[in-house]
Amino acid sequence: MLQSQATQTTRQDLTEVILASKLKKDLTYTQITEGTGLSEAFVTAALLGQHPLPADAAKAVGKKLDLDDDAIALLQTVPVRGSIGNSLPTDPTIYRFYEIVQVYGTTLKALVHEKFGDGIISAINFKLNIEKVEDPEGGSRAVITLDGKYLPTKPF
């Protein structure tokens, strides 16, 4: 039976164990994801305490990270989601995403409503992809694709 967490603490503690094992074993998220049948973004989010993993994926990840049976079971529980808290993010990378939403949030909202109507883009029925591409002007660019199902607002 699928279980749910009541606070973020337990999954945050597990995330620390996972990150320590990832570092010790010198593994990438891509390597950890292999054999799970899931996307790298989903598995990474799960390892960071934002999603439950299906049993087979949790066992595959647990084996690679030398997690015990309790940790593997915990990876399968529904977490209390949210990783930023109620204050401004201080990590520069996370802050840039916050900045993007601050600058383009109203634009995204206006264009979504103009194209789809009143509703939201799901973060549950959602896909995320990150690619590194070379910039013709030099350096690299990050191409981030957010692919969420549109859910219309329904009058009641």
Side-chain angles (χ1 to χ4, degrees):
M1 174 191 311
L2 191 61
Q3 298 293 320
S4 180
Q5 293 295 300
T7 67
Q8 291 179 328
T9 306
T10 306
R11 286 297 294 268
Q12 286 173 339
D13 292 345
L14 177 57
T15 294
E16 295 302 322
V17 170
I18 287 167
L19 293 176
S21 180
K22 179 183 178 294
L23 176 65
K24 181 179 179 182
K25 293 174 150 294
D26 194 29
L27 293 170
T28 65
Y29 287 113
T30 300
Q31 291 169 319
I32 296 168
T33 299
E34 290 171 356
T36 65
L38 301 170
S39 75
E40 179 183 25
F42 188 87
V43 171
T44 301
L47 297 177
L48 296 175
Q50 299 303 307
H51 293 304
L53 284 176
D56 290 345
K59 289 173 189 170
V61 165
K63 183 175 180 180
K64 288 180 187 175
L65 294 171
D66 292 330
L67 300 179
D68 63 25
D69 289 343
D70 289 340
I72 291 169
L74 186 56
L75 273 173
Q76 298 171 63
T77 63
V78 178
V80 176
R81 293 178 172 96
S83 61
I84 295 177
N86 294 324
S87 61
L88 291 176
T90 58
D91 177 84
T93 302
I94 296 172
Y95 181 80
R96 291 301 169 254
F97 286 102
Y98 176 79
E99 179 182 45
I100 290 166
V101 172
Q102 285 288 78
V103 173
Y104 292 103
T106 53
T107 301
L108 291 165
K109 177 182 172 28
L111 292 173
V112 164
H113 293 310
E114 184 175 284
K115 293 176 187 297
F116 294 92
D118 185 16
I120 62 167
I121 305 300
S122 176
I124 302 302
N125 190 339
F126 185 82
K127 297 175 185 173
L128 167 67
N129 189 48
I130 301 173
E131 294 178 68
K132 180 180 178 181
V133 298
E134 296 308 311
D135 188 336
E137 298 174 7
S140 300
R141 298 187 68 82
V143 177
I144 301 168
T145 304
L146 308 173
D147 180 353
K149 181 175 181 162
Y150 174 74
L151 302 171
T153 299
K154 294 182 181 179
F156 60 95

